[in-house]
Amino acid sequence: MPFGKYFAVMVATALKFIGGPLTGVSLGISLIETIISTIAGMMVTVTIVAFLGKKVREIINKYRKVKPKLFNKRSRRAVKIWDRFGLIGIACLTPLFLRLSAELYWLFLLEFQSPKSYSGC
């Protein structure tokens, strides 16, 4: 069993979702193995960000020289989207407009203190 190939697909998925399937095809593993490795890579990433996201944000804020503005153009736009469309709006519009990876999406949800029931999906 080529565990190294599976791990490569998981790491590629963790960095950018499309990287997983492309890596699976390029390494010549089967479709089912690629799908399972891609799902595993996404779930590992989501789990890590969900459990460590707040701690990472605290560490980043600890070393910032200038405290970021509470309200700027970007945060106001995000709050408008949150107020108007809720979690579903953020989930649908983030990949379209901001082109953020899944990790940044989860950090975004943690920043706005999403309810626990939503952050575990």
Side-chain angles (χ1 to χ4, degrees):
M1 298 204 144
F3 290 110
K5 291 182 180 183
Y6 301 149
F7 185 72
V9 172
M10 289 174 62
V11 169
T13 301
L15 297 175
K16 191 68 175 172
F17 172 75
I18 192 68
L22 292 177
T23 304
V25 169
S26 67
L27 292 176
I29 60 178
S30 73
L31 178 63
I32 298 298
E33 293 169 330
T34 301
I35 290 171
I36 292 170
S37 299
T38 300
I39 291 171
M42 288 186 304
M43 290 297 105
V44 167
T45 302
V46 167
T47 303
I48 289 170
V49 171
F51 287 113
L52 299 178
K54 187 173 182 181
K55 194 60 145 170
V56 169
R57 191 175 71 229
E58 290 171 0
I59 291 170
I60 290 171
N61 287 337
K62 181 179 172 183
Y63 291 104
R64 280 190 171 159
K65 293 180 181 176
V66 178
K67 190 173 179 178
K69 292 181 180 180
L70 185 60
F71 293 106
N72 57 25
K73 184 176 180 180
R74 184 176 175 188
S75 66
R76 287 179 197 270
R77 185 178 307 137
V79 170
K80 283 181 185 178
I81 293 171
W82 183 268
D83 288 341
R84 187 167 180 192
F85 300 109
L87 181 66
I88 301 299
I90 295 294
C92 293
L93 296 175
T94 297
L96 294 174
F97 295 118
L98 301 178
R99 293 186 177 190
L100 298 176
S101 62
E103 298 82 15
L104 293 178
Y105 165 74
W106 286 101
L107 285 174
F108 185 79
L109 287 179
L110 288 171
E111 184 70 27
F112 281 100
Q113 304 299 320
S114 172
K116 279 282 189 193
S117 61
Y118 290 123
S119 61
C121 55

mmCIF file of all heavy atoms in Angstrom, residues 9-48:
data_model
loop_
_atom_site.group_PDB
_atom_site.id
_atom_site.type_symbol
_atom_site.label_atom_id
_atom_site.label_comp_id
_atom_site.label_asym_id
_atom_site.label_seq_id
_atom_site.Cartn_x
_atom_site.Cartn_y
_atom_site.Cartn_z
ATOM 1 N N VAL A 9 -1.370 13.231 -1.131
ATOM 2 C CA VAL A 9 -2.687 13.750 -1.521
ATOM 3 C C VAL A 9 -3.307 14.515 -0.349
ATOM 4 O O VAL A 9 -3.882 15.593 -0.534
ATOM 5 C CB VAL A 9 -3.614 12.604 -1.990
ATOM 6 C CG1 VAL A 9 -5.034 13.110 -2.217
ATOM 7 C CG2 VAL A 9 -3.066 11.975 -3.260
ATOM 8 N N MET A 10 -3.169 13.990 0.866
ATOM 9 C CA MET A 10 -3.721 14.669 2.042
ATOM 10 C C MET A 10 -3.057 16.037 2.252
ATOM 11 O O MET A 10 -3.731 17.024 2.529
ATOM 12 C CB MET A 10 -3.555 13.803 3.288
ATOM 13 C CG MET A 10 -4.453 12.584 3.308
ATOM 14 S SD MET A 10 -4.133 11.483 4.696
ATOM 15 C CE MET A 10 -4.500 12.539 6.073
ATOM 16 N N VAL A 11 -1.743 16.100 2.105
ATOM 17 C CA VAL A 11 -1.027 17.371 2.285
ATOM 18 C C VAL A 11 -1.411 18.360 1.185
ATOM 19 O O VAL A 11 -1.649 19.544 1.458
ATOM 20 C CB VAL A 11 0.499 17.136 2.310
ATOM 21 C CG1 VAL A 11 1.258 18.446 2.231
ATOM 22 C CG2 VAL A 11 0.886 16.364 3.552
ATOM 23 N N ALA A 12 -1.511 17.885 -0.044
ATOM 24 C CA ALA A 12 -1.909 18.772 -1.142
ATOM 25 C C ALA A 12 -3.321 19.315 -0.920
ATOM 26 O O ALA A 12 -3.593 20.490 -1.187
ATOM 27 C CB ALA A 12 -1.833 18.027 -2.478
ATOM 28 N N THR A 13 -4.215 18.478 -0.424
ATOM 29 C CA THR A 13 -5.575 18.922 -0.125
ATOM 30 C C THR A 13 -5.576 19.931 1.009
ATOM 31 O O THR A 13 -6.330 20.899 0.983
ATOM 32 C CB THR A 13 -6.457 17.724 0.248
ATOM 33 O OG1 THR A 13 -6.464 16.809 -0.834
ATOM 34 C CG2 THR A 13 -7.881 18.161 0.543
ATOM 35 N N ALA A 14 -4.726 19.723 2.000
ATOM 36 C CA ALA A 14 -4.661 20.639 3.132
ATOM 37 C C ALA A 14 -4.197 22.020 2.687
ATOM 38 O O ALA A 14 -4.652 23.035 3.212
ATOM 39 C CB ALA A 14 -3.721 20.086 4.201
ATOM 40 N N LEU A 15 -3.313 22.083 1.713
ATOM 41 C CA LEU A 15 -2.823 23.377 1.237
ATOM 42 C C LEU A 15 -3.832 24.070 0.334
ATOM 43 O O LEU A 15 -4.072 25.263 0.463
ATOM 44 C CB LEU A 15 -1.495 23.189 0.499
ATOM 45 C CG LEU A 15 -0.350 22.658 1.363
ATOM 46 C CD1 LEU A 15 0.874 22.397 0.499
ATOM 47 C CD2 LEU A 15 -0.036 23.623 2.490
ATOM 48 N N LYS A 16 -4.405 23.344 -0.585
ATOM 49 C CA LYS A 16 -5.435 23.879 -1.482
ATOM 50 C C LYS A 16 -6.241 22.695 -1.971
ATOM 51 O O LYS A 16 -5.681 21.705 -2.431
ATOM 52 C CB LYS A 16 -4.782 24.631 -2.651
ATOM 53 C CG LYS A 16 -5.719 25.432 -3.480
ATOM 54 C CD LYS A 16 -6.272 26.606 -2.711
ATOM 55 C CE LYS A 16 -7.122 27.466 -3.627
ATOM 56 N NZ LYS A 16 -7.811 28.481 -2.906
ATOM 57 N N PHE A 17 -7.562 22.801 -1.902
ATOM 58 C CA PHE A 17 -8.418 21.643 -2.165
ATOM 59 C C PHE A 17 -8.136 20.998 -3.514
ATOM 60 O O PHE A 17 -8.016 19.782 -3.613
ATOM 61 C CB PHE A 17 -9.895 22.028 -2.078
ATOM 62 C CG PHE A 17 -10.799 20.924 -2.532
ATOM 63 C CD1 PHE A 17 -11.011 19.831 -1.718
ATOM 64 C CD2 PHE A 17 -11.397 20.954 -3.769
ATOM 65 C CE1 PHE A 17 -11.822 18.779 -2.124
ATOM 66 C CE2 PHE A 17 -12.209 19.920 -4.192
ATOM 67 C CZ PHE A 17 -12.417 18.832 -3.368
ATOM 68 N N ILE A 18 -8.026 21.772 -4.560
ATOM 69 C CA ILE A 18 -7.857 21.211 -5.901
ATOM 70 C C ILE A 18 -6.540 20.454 -6.029
ATOM 71 O O ILE A 18 -6.386 19.598 -6.894
ATOM 72 C CB ILE A 18 -7.989 22.314 -6.982
ATOM 73 C CG1 ILE A 18 -8.118 21.711 -8.378
ATOM 74 C CG2 ILE A 18 -6.817 23.270 -6.919
ATOM 75 C CD1 ILE A 18 -9.400 20.971 -8.596
ATOM 76 N N GLY A 19 -5.603 20.737 -5.143
ATOM 77 C CA GLY A 19 -4.324 20.048 -5.184
ATOM 78 C C GLY A 19 -4.428 18.565 -4.891
ATOM 79 O O GLY A 19 -3.637 17.766 -5.407
ATOM 80 N N GLY A 20 -5.383 18.172 -4.064
ATOM 81 C CA GLY A 20 -5.542 16.762 -3.720
ATOM 82 C C GLY A 20 -5.899 15.890 -4.905
ATOM 83 O O GLY A 20 -5.179 14.931 -5.209
ATOM 84 N N PRO A 21 -7.002 16.193 -5.589
ATOM 85 C CA PRO A 21 -7.340 15.375 -6.756
ATOM 86 C C PRO A 21 -6.271 15.408 -7.853
ATOM 87 O O PRO A 21 -5.988 14.383 -8.475
ATOM 88 C CB PRO A 21 -8.653 15.999 -7.252
ATOM 89 C CG PRO A 21 -9.258 16.615 -6.043
ATOM 90 C CD PRO A 21 -8.099 17.097 -5.231
ATOM 91 N N LEU A 22 -5.677 16.570 -8.061
ATOM 92 C CA LEU A 22 -4.624 16.647 -9.080
ATOM 93 C C LEU A 22 -3.417 15.795 -8.696
ATOM 94 O O LEU A 22 -2.830 15.117 -9.547
ATOM 95 C CB LEU A 22 -4.196 18.100 -9.287
ATOM 96 C CG LEU A 22 -5.234 19.023 -9.914
ATOM 97 C CD1 LEU A 22 -4.702 20.448 -9.993
ATOM 98 C CD2 LEU A 22 -5.628 18.528 -11.295
ATOM 99 N N THR A 23 -3.063 15.801 -7.418
ATOM 100 C CA THR A 23 -1.944 14.982 -6.954
ATOM 101 C C THR A 23 -2.276 13.500 -7.073
ATOM 102 O O THR A 23 -1.430 12.705 -7.482
ATOM 103 C CB THR A 23 -1.588 15.338 -5.495
ATOM 104 O OG1 THR A 23 -1.313 16.731 -5.406
ATOM 105 C CG2 THR A 23 -0.393 14.555 -5.014
ATOM 106 N N GLY A 24 -3.507 13.132 -6.727
ATOM 107 C CA GLY A 24 -3.919 11.732 -6.837
ATOM 108 C C GLY A 24 -3.835 11.219 -8.261
ATOM 109 O O GLY A 24 -3.333 10.108 -8.512
ATOM 110 N N VAL A 25 -4.284 12.018 -9.199
ATOM 111 C CA VAL A 25 -4.226 11.622 -10.610
ATOM 112 C C VAL A 25 -2.776 11.530 -11.072
ATOM 113 O O VAL A 25 -2.382 10.584 -11.760
ATOM 114 C CB VAL A 25 -5.021 12.621 -11.486
ATOM 115 C CG1 VAL A 25 -4.754 12.392 -12.961
ATOM 116 C CG2 VAL A 25 -6.503 12.515 -11.187
ATOM 117 N N SER A 26 -1.979 12.522 -10.685
ATOM 118 C CA SER A 26 -0.588 12.523 -11.147
ATOM 119 C C SER A 26 0.235 11.381 -10.541
ATOM 120 O O SER A 26 1.191 10.928 -11.147
ATOM 121 C CB SER A 26 0.076 13.865 -10.846
ATOM 122 O OG SER A 26 0.220 14.048 -9.464
ATOM 123 N N LEU A 27 -0.132 10.935 -9.334
ATOM 124 C CA LEU A 27 0.583 9.815 -8.711
ATOM 125 C C LEU A 27 0.054 8.458 -9.169
ATOM 126 O O LEU A 27 0.624 7.428 -8.824
ATOM 127 C CB LEU A 27 0.495 9.920 -7.188
ATOM 128 C CG LEU A 27 1.255 11.085 -6.563
ATOM 129 C CD1 LEU A 27 1.002 11.146 -5.064
ATOM 130 C CD2 LEU A 27 2.746 10.976 -6.851
ATOM 131 N N GLY A 28 -1.046 8.456 -9.897
ATOM 132 C CA GLY A 28 -1.567 7.218 -10.459
ATOM 133 C C GLY A 28 -2.330 6.346 -9.484
ATOM 134 O O GLY A 28 -2.442 5.139 -9.708
ATOM 135 N N ILE A 29 -2.879 6.915 -8.409
ATOM 136 C CA ILE A 29 -3.690 6.098 -7.515
ATOM 137 C C ILE A 29 -5.141 6.115 -8.004
ATOM 138 O O ILE A 29 -5.538 7.004 -8.769
ATOM 139 C CB ILE A 29 -3.572 6.543 -6.042
ATOM 140 C CG1 ILE A 29 -4.011 7.987 -5.832
ATOM 141 C CG2 ILE A 29 -2.152 6.381 -5.551
ATOM 142 C CD1 ILE A 29 -3.962 8.446 -4.381
ATOM 143 N N SER A 30 -5.916 5.146 -7.577
ATOM 144 C CA SER A 30 -7.275 5.006 -8.099
ATOM 145 C C SER A 30 -8.174 6.155 -7.644
ATOM 146 O O SER A 30 -7.846 6.893 -6.707
ATOM 147 C CB SER A 30 -7.879 3.672 -7.637
ATOM 148 O OG SER A 30 -8.200 3.737 -6.267
ATOM 149 N N LEU A 31 -9.316 6.275 -8.283
ATOM 150 C CA LEU A 31 -10.265 7.339 -7.981
ATOM 151 C C LEU A 31 -10.773 7.233 -6.538
ATOM 152 O O LEU A 31 -10.830 8.242 -5.829
ATOM 153 C CB LEU A 31 -11.442 7.302 -8.956
ATOM 154 C CG LEU A 31 -12.538 8.339 -8.730
ATOM 155 C CD1 LEU A 31 -11.966 9.746 -8.920
ATOM 156 C CD2 LEU A 31 -13.705 8.099 -9.646
ATOM 157 N N ILE A 32 -11.115 6.032 -6.108
ATOM 158 C CA ILE A 32 -11.616 5.832 -4.745
ATOM 159 C C ILE A 32 -10.549 6.209 -3.721
ATOM 160 O O ILE A 32 -10.834 6.880 -2.724
ATOM 161 C CB ILE A 32 -12.074 4.364 -4.533
ATOM 162 C CG1 ILE A 32 -13.231 4.023 -5.467
ATOM 163 C CG2 ILE A 32 -12.460 4.104 -3.088
ATOM 164 C CD1 ILE A 32 -14.479 4.864 -5.251
ATOM 165 N N GLU A 33 -9.310 5.787 -3.949
ATOM 166 C CA GLU A 33 -8.223 6.126 -3.031
ATOM 167 C C GLU A 33 -7.981 7.639 -2.999
ATOM 168 O O GLU A 33 -7.725 8.208 -1.932
ATOM 169 C CB GLU A 33 -6.935 5.408 -3.449
ATOM 170 C CG GLU A 33 -7.005 3.911 -3.302
ATOM 171 C CD GLU A 33 -5.835 3.204 -3.957
ATOM 172 O OE1 GLU A 33 -5.292 3.718 -4.962
ATOM 173 O OE2 GLU A 33 -5.466 2.133 -3.453
ATOM 174 N N THR A 34 -8.098 8.275 -4.151
ATOM 175 C CA THR A 34 -7.934 9.730 -4.212
ATOM 176 C C THR A 34 -9.043 10.433 -3.445
ATOM 177 O O THR A 34 -8.787 11.370 -2.683
ATOM 178 C CB THR A 34 -7.927 10.213 -5.682
ATOM 179 O OG1 THR A 34 -6.860 9.574 -6.368
ATOM 180 C CG2 THR A 34 -7.752 11.712 -5.768
ATOM 181 N N ILE A 35 -10.273 9.990 -3.608
ATOM 182 C CA ILE A 35 -11.413 10.605 -2.912
ATOM 183 C C ILE A 35 -11.261 10.444 -1.399
ATOM 184 O O ILE A 35 -11.429 11.409 -0.646
ATOM 185 C CB ILE A 35 -12.744 9.990 -3.407
ATOM 186 C CG1 ILE A 35 -13.018 10.438 -4.845
ATOM 187 C CG2 ILE A 35 -13.897 10.395 -2.496
ATOM 188 C CD1 ILE A 35 -14.182 9.725 -5.502
ATOM 189 N N ILE A 36 -10.913 9.244 -0.948
ATOM 190 C CA ILE A 36 -10.766 9.004 0.486
ATOM 191 C C ILE A 36 -9.617 9.835 1.059
ATOM 192 O O ILE A 36 -9.744 10.450 2.122
ATOM 193 C CB ILE A 36 -10.563 7.497 0.768
ATOM 194 C CG1 ILE A 36 -11.862 6.740 0.443
ATOM 195 C CG2 ILE A 36 -10.137 7.252 2.205
ATOM 196 C CD1 ILE A 36 -11.723 5.239 0.458
ATOM 197 N N SER A 37 -8.498 9.896 0.350
ATOM 198 C CA SER A 37 -7.357 10.691 0.825
ATOM 199 C C SER A 37 -7.678 12.176 0.835
ATOM 200 O O SER A 37 -7.248 12.901 1.743
ATOM 201 C CB SER A 37 -6.143 10.441 -0.062
ATOM 202 O OG SER A 37 -5.760 9.096 -0.026
ATOM 203 N N THR A 38 -8.429 12.636 -0.157
ATOM 204 C CA THR A 38 -8.818 14.048 -0.219
ATOM 205 C C THR A 38 -9.739 14.394 0.947
ATOM 206 O O THR A 38 -9.549 15.425 1.611
ATOM 207 C CB THR A 38 -9.513 14.360 -1.561
ATOM 208 O OG1 THR A 38 -8.601 14.076 -2.623
ATOM 209 C CG2 THR A 38 -9.940 15.799 -1.644
ATOM 210 N N ILE A 39 -10.710 13.561 1.210
ATOM 211 C CA ILE A 39 -11.618 13.798 2.331
ATOM 212 C C ILE A 39 -10.852 13.783 3.650
ATOM 213 O O ILE A 39 -11.065 14.640 4.518
ATOM 214 C CB ILE A 39 -12.763 12.765 2.331
ATOM 215 C CG1 ILE A 39 -13.686 13.001 1.134
ATOM 216 C CG2 ILE A 39 -13.550 12.817 3.633
ATOM 217 C CD1 ILE A 39 -14.712 11.911 0.912
ATOM 218 N N ALA A 40 -9.940 12.842 3.803
ATOM 219 C CA ALA A 40 -9.140 12.767 5.027
ATOM 220 C C ALA A 40 -8.291 14.028 5.193
ATOM 221 O O ALA A 40 -8.184 14.564 6.300
ATOM 222 C CB ALA A 40 -8.255 11.527 5.001
ATOM 223 N N GLY A 41 -7.703 14.500 4.117
ATOM 224 C CA GLY A 41 -6.902 15.720 4.177
ATOM 225 C C GLY A 41 -7.719 16.931 4.572
ATOM 226 O O GLY A 41 -7.280 17.760 5.384
ATOM 227 N N MET A 42 -8.937 17.037 4.042
ATOM 228 C CA MET A 42 -9.812 18.159 4.406
ATOM 229 C C MET A 42 -10.214 18.078 5.872
ATOM 230 O O MET A 42 -10.211 19.085 6.574
ATOM 231 C CB MET A 42 -11.069 18.159 3.522
ATOM 232 C CG MET A 42 -10.825 18.570 2.098
ATOM 233 S SD MET A 42 -12.350 18.725 1.126
ATOM 234 C CE MET A 42 -13.082 17.123 1.305
ATOM 235 N N MET A 43 -10.579 16.890 6.322
ATOM 236 C CA MET A 43 -11.033 16.745 7.702
ATOM 237 C C MET A 43 -9.910 17.005 8.706
ATOM 238 O O MET A 43 -10.141 17.602 9.751
ATOM 239 C CB MET A 43 -11.626 15.350 7.926
ATOM 240 C CG MET A 43 -12.944 15.138 7.214
ATOM 241 S SD MET A 43 -14.223 16.255 7.820
ATOM 242 C CE MET A 43 -14.351 17.425 6.513
ATOM 243 N N VAL A 44 -8.702 16.565 8.387
ATOM 244 C CA VAL A 44 -7.567 16.834 9.274
ATOM 245 C C VAL A 44 -7.331 18.335 9.367
ATOM 246 O O VAL A 44 -7.128 18.886 10.456
ATOM 247 C CB VAL A 44 -6.302 16.093 8.777
ATOM 248 C CG1 VAL A 44 -5.055 16.601 9.477
ATOM 249 C CG2 VAL A 44 -6.459 14.598 8.973
ATOM 250 N N THR A 45 -7.385 19.025 8.238
ATOM 251 C CA THR A 45 -7.174 20.469 8.225
ATOM 252 C C THR A 45 -8.247 21.199 9.016
ATOM 253 O O THR A 45 -7.942 22.079 9.826
ATOM 254 C CB THR A 45 -7.162 20.991 6.774
ATOM 255 O OG1 THR A 45 -6.146 20.305 6.059
ATOM 256 C CG2 THR A 45 -6.895 22.475 6.730
ATOM 257 N N VAL A 46 -9.488 20.845 8.802
ATOM 258 C CA VAL A 46 -10.589 21.484 9.514
ATOM 259 C C VAL A 46 -10.464 21.240 11.017
ATOM 260 O O VAL A 46 -10.666 22.153 11.826
ATOM 261 C CB VAL A 46 -11.951 20.985 8.978
ATOM 262 C CG1 VAL A 46 -13.092 21.386 9.891
ATOM 263 C CG2 VAL A 46 -12.186 21.518 7.576
ATOM 264 N N THR A 47 -10.102 20.033 11.393
ATOM 265 C CA THR A 47 -9.944 19.708 12.810
ATOM 266 C C THR A 47 -8.819 20.522 13.444
ATOM 267 O O THR A 47 -8.983 21.079 14.536
ATOM 268 C CB THR A 47 -9.671 18.199 12.982
ATOM 269 O OG1 THR A 47 -10.738 17.473 12.375
ATOM 270 C CG2 THR A 47 -9.557 17.826 14.436
ATOM 271 N N ILE A 48 -7.702 20.609 12.759
ATOM 272 C CA ILE A 48 -6.570 21.378 13.292
ATOM 273 C C ILE A 48 -6.940 22.847 13.451
ATOM 274 O O ILE A 48 -6.679 23.450 14.497
ATOM 275 C CB ILE A 48 -5.332 21.213 12.388
ATOM 276 C CG1 ILE A 48 -4.773 19.799 12.522
ATOM 277 C CG2 ILE A 48 -4.259 22.240 12.726
ATOM 278 C CD1 ILE A 48 -3.701 19.456 11.512
#
